[in-house]
Short mmCIF file of all heavy atoms in Angstrom, two decimals:
data_model
loop_
_atom_site.label_atom_id
_atom_site.label_comp_id
_atom_site.label_asym_id
_atom_site.label_seq_id
_atom_site.Cartn_x
_atom_site.Cartn_y
_atom_site.Cartn_z
N ILE A 80 15.32 4.38 23.87
CA ILE A 80 16.30 5.35 24.29
C ILE A 80 16.05 5.57 25.80
O ILE A 80 14.82 5.63 26.28
CB ILE A 80 16.14 6.68 23.52
CG1 ILE A 80 16.49 6.47 22.08
CG2 ILE A 80 17.03 7.78 24.15
CD1 ILE A 80 16.14 7.65 21.23
N ILE A 81 16.98 5.65 26.64
CA ILE A 81 16.92 5.94 28.00
C ILE A 81 16.97 7.46 28.23
O ILE A 81 18.07 8.05 28.11
CB ILE A 81 18.01 5.24 28.84
CG1 ILE A 81 17.91 3.69 28.71
CG2 ILE A 81 17.86 5.64 30.38
CD1 ILE A 81 18.94 2.92 29.39
N PRO A 82 15.87 8.08 28.59
CA PRO A 82 15.88 9.55 28.93
C PRO A 82 16.29 9.75 30.40
O PRO A 82 15.94 8.96 31.31
CB PRO A 82 14.43 9.98 28.71
CG PRO A 82 13.61 8.76 28.92
CD PRO A 82 14.54 7.55 28.72
N TYR A 83 17.01 10.87 30.56
CA TYR A 83 17.34 11.13 31.96
C TYR A 83 17.43 12.66 32.22
O TYR A 83 17.63 13.45 31.31
CB TYR A 83 18.66 10.39 32.37
CG TYR A 83 19.93 10.86 31.79
CD1 TYR A 83 20.80 11.75 32.43
CD2 TYR A 83 20.31 10.46 30.55
CE1 TYR A 83 21.99 12.17 31.92
CE2 TYR A 83 21.51 10.86 29.96
CZ TYR A 83 22.32 11.74 30.64
OH TYR A 83 23.51 12.16 30.11
N THR A 84 17.42 13.01 33.57
CA THR A 84 17.42 14.39 33.89
C THR A 84 18.92 14.79 34.04
O THR A 84 19.78 14.13 34.43
CB THR A 84 16.84 14.57 35.28
OG1 THR A 84 17.41 13.68 36.26
CG2 THR A 84 15.33 14.20 35.26
N GLY A 85 19.18 16.05 33.62
CA GLY A 85 20.48 16.67 33.68
C GLY A 85 20.97 16.85 35.14
O GLY A 85 20.17 16.97 36.12
N GLY A 86 22.27 16.92 35.33
CA GLY A 86 22.86 17.01 36.63
C GLY A 86 22.49 18.24 37.40
O GLY A 86 22.43 18.24 38.59
N THR A 87 22.34 19.35 36.65
CA THR A 87 22.04 20.62 37.29
C THR A 87 20.70 20.55 38.11
O THR A 87 20.56 21.11 39.15
CB THR A 87 21.91 21.75 36.26
OG1 THR A 87 23.14 21.82 35.49
CG2 THR A 87 21.64 23.10 36.93
N LEU A 88 19.76 19.76 37.58
CA LEU A 88 18.51 19.57 38.24
C LEU A 88 18.67 18.86 39.61
O LEU A 88 18.09 19.29 40.61
CB LEU A 88 17.55 18.80 37.39
CG LEU A 88 16.03 19.00 37.59
CD1 LEU A 88 15.61 20.43 37.42
CD2 LEU A 88 15.25 18.04 36.72
N PHE A 89 19.55 17.85 39.60
CA PHE A 89 19.84 17.18 40.86
C PHE A 89 20.50 18.11 41.80
O PHE A 89 20.13 18.11 43.03
CB PHE A 89 20.79 15.93 40.59
CG PHE A 89 21.54 15.57 41.82
CD1 PHE A 89 20.92 14.83 42.80
CD2 PHE A 89 22.91 15.92 41.95
CE1 PHE A 89 21.61 14.44 43.93
CE2 PHE A 89 23.56 15.61 43.10
CZ PHE A 89 23.02 14.87 44.08
N GLU A 90 21.47 18.84 41.32
CA GLU A 90 22.24 19.78 42.21
C GLU A 90 21.32 20.78 42.87
O GLU A 90 21.41 21.13 44.01
CB GLU A 90 23.29 20.51 41.51
CG GLU A 90 24.47 19.54 41.01
CD GLU A 90 25.58 20.19 40.32
OE1 GLU A 90 26.05 21.21 40.89
OE2 GLU A 90 26.01 19.78 39.21
N LEU A 91 20.32 21.28 42.13
CA LEU A 91 19.35 22.22 42.63
C LEU A 91 18.50 21.55 43.72
O LEU A 91 18.27 22.16 44.77
CB LEU A 91 18.43 22.73 41.48
CG LEU A 91 17.44 23.83 41.88
CD1 LEU A 91 18.11 25.09 42.37
CD2 LEU A 91 16.59 24.13 40.61
N ALA A 92 18.11 20.30 43.51
CA ALA A 92 17.25 19.60 44.49
C ALA A 92 18.13 19.35 45.77
O ALA A 92 17.65 19.50 46.88
CB ALA A 92 16.77 18.26 43.87
N TYR A 93 19.42 19.01 45.55
CA TYR A 93 20.26 18.80 46.68
C TYR A 93 20.41 20.10 47.48
O TYR A 93 20.33 20.11 48.80
CB TYR A 93 21.69 18.33 46.25
CG TYR A 93 22.62 18.06 47.36
CD1 TYR A 93 22.72 16.78 47.98
CD2 TYR A 93 23.45 19.05 47.82
CE1 TYR A 93 23.58 16.64 49.01
CE2 TYR A 93 24.47 18.86 48.84
CZ TYR A 93 24.42 17.60 49.45
OH TYR A 93 25.33 17.38 50.43
N MET A 94 20.69 21.22 46.83
CA MET A 94 20.83 22.52 47.49
C MET A 94 19.61 22.87 48.35
O MET A 94 19.70 23.44 49.44
CB MET A 94 21.05 23.58 46.47
CG MET A 94 22.47 23.60 45.86
SD MET A 94 22.58 24.78 44.53
CE MET A 94 22.17 26.33 45.44
N LYS A 95 18.45 22.60 47.83
CA LYS A 95 17.19 23.01 48.48
C LYS A 95 16.65 21.86 49.40
O LYS A 95 15.52 21.99 49.97
CB LYS A 95 16.13 23.32 47.38
CG LYS A 95 16.46 24.52 46.59
CD LYS A 95 15.36 24.82 45.58
CE LYS A 95 15.65 26.13 44.82
NZ LYS A 95 15.42 27.32 45.70
N ASP A 96 17.40 20.84 49.60
CA ASP A 96 17.02 19.70 50.43
C ASP A 96 15.66 19.10 49.99
O ASP A 96 14.83 18.91 50.81
CB ASP A 96 16.96 20.20 51.94
CG ASP A 96 16.85 19.00 52.89
OD1 ASP A 96 17.31 17.88 52.54
OD2 ASP A 96 16.38 19.19 54.06
N LYS A 97 15.58 18.92 48.72
CA LYS A 97 14.35 18.44 48.07
C LYS A 97 14.55 17.09 47.35
O LYS A 97 13.85 16.82 46.36
CB LYS A 97 13.76 19.47 47.11
CG LYS A 97 13.36 20.75 47.80
CD LYS A 97 12.08 20.61 48.59
CE LYS A 97 11.51 21.92 49.09
NZ LYS A 97 10.26 21.76 49.86
N LEU A 98 15.51 16.29 47.76
CA LEU A 98 15.80 15.09 47.02
C LEU A 98 14.65 14.13 46.97
O LEU A 98 14.36 13.45 45.97
CB LEU A 98 17.05 14.36 47.61
CG LEU A 98 18.44 15.03 47.27
CD1 LEU A 98 19.50 14.17 47.91
CD2 LEU A 98 18.60 15.13 45.79
N GLU A 99 13.92 13.99 48.11
CA GLU A 99 12.78 13.06 48.11
C GLU A 99 11.74 13.47 47.07
O GLU A 99 11.21 12.67 46.33
CB GLU A 99 12.12 13.03 49.54
CG GLU A 99 11.04 11.99 49.61
CD GLU A 99 10.53 11.85 51.03
OE1 GLU A 99 11.24 12.25 51.95
OE2 GLU A 99 9.40 11.24 51.17
N ASP A 100 11.47 14.78 47.04
CA ASP A 100 10.49 15.30 46.06
C ASP A 100 11.00 15.22 44.64
O ASP A 100 10.34 14.87 43.73
CB ASP A 100 10.20 16.81 46.32
CG ASP A 100 9.46 17.01 47.66
OD1 ASP A 100 8.81 16.06 48.07
OD2 ASP A 100 9.57 18.08 48.21
N PHE A 101 12.41 15.35 44.47
CA PHE A 101 12.97 15.19 43.15
C PHE A 101 12.88 13.78 42.60
O PHE A 101 12.46 13.56 41.46
CB PHE A 101 14.46 15.60 43.24
CG PHE A 101 15.27 15.28 42.07
CD1 PHE A 101 15.15 15.98 40.90
CD2 PHE A 101 16.25 14.28 42.10
CE1 PHE A 101 15.90 15.66 39.77
CE2 PHE A 101 17.03 13.92 41.00
CZ PHE A 101 16.84 14.67 39.84
N PHE A 102 13.11 12.78 43.49
CA PHE A 102 12.98 11.46 42.99
C PHE A 102 11.56 11.10 42.66
O PHE A 102 11.29 10.43 41.64
CB PHE A 102 13.49 10.45 44.08
CG PHE A 102 15.02 10.46 44.29
CD1 PHE A 102 15.54 10.51 45.58
CD2 PHE A 102 15.88 10.51 43.21
CE1 PHE A 102 16.89 10.53 45.76
CE2 PHE A 102 17.26 10.56 43.40
CZ PHE A 102 17.75 10.51 44.66
N SER A 103 10.64 11.57 43.48
CA SER A 103 9.26 11.33 43.23
C SER A 103 8.74 11.94 41.91
O SER A 103 8.01 11.27 41.16
CB SER A 103 8.40 11.87 44.39
OG SER A 103 6.99 11.72 44.17
N GLU A 104 9.14 13.15 41.69
CA GLU A 104 8.76 13.86 40.45
C GLU A 104 9.39 13.19 39.18
O GLU A 104 8.71 13.04 38.18
CB GLU A 104 9.18 15.34 40.50
CG GLU A 104 8.78 16.15 39.34
CD GLU A 104 7.47 16.84 39.44
OE1 GLU A 104 6.65 16.31 40.26
OE2 GLU A 104 7.21 17.79 38.77
N ALA A 105 10.63 12.83 39.30
CA ALA A 105 11.33 12.18 38.23
C ALA A 105 10.60 10.85 37.85
O ALA A 105 10.39 10.48 36.68
CB ALA A 105 12.76 11.90 38.56
N ARG A 106 10.19 10.13 38.92
CA ARG A 106 9.48 8.83 38.67
C ARG A 106 8.16 9.05 38.03
O ARG A 106 7.75 8.37 37.09
CB ARG A 106 9.35 8.11 40.00
CG ARG A 106 8.75 6.69 39.85
CD ARG A 106 8.60 5.98 41.19
NE ARG A 106 9.95 5.78 41.74
CZ ARG A 106 10.48 6.45 42.85
NH1 ARG A 106 9.82 7.43 43.40
NH2 ARG A 106 11.69 6.11 43.30
N SER A 107 7.45 10.14 38.48
CA SER A 107 6.03 10.33 37.94
C SER A 107 6.07 10.82 36.52
O SER A 107 5.13 10.62 35.74
CB SER A 107 5.35 11.40 38.77
OG SER A 107 5.96 12.70 38.68
#
Side-chain angles (χ1 to χ4, degrees):
I80 296 167
I81 298 175
Y83 70 98
T84 56
T87 303
L88 204 61
F89 158 78
E90 293 182 48
L91 185 60
Y93 180 89
M94 286 173 58
K95 293 181 175 291
D96 195 23
K97 295 286 187 181
L98 283 182
E99 184 174 344
D100 294 335
F101 169 69
F102 290 136
S103 177
E104 181 92 337
R106 185 178 296 106
S107 70

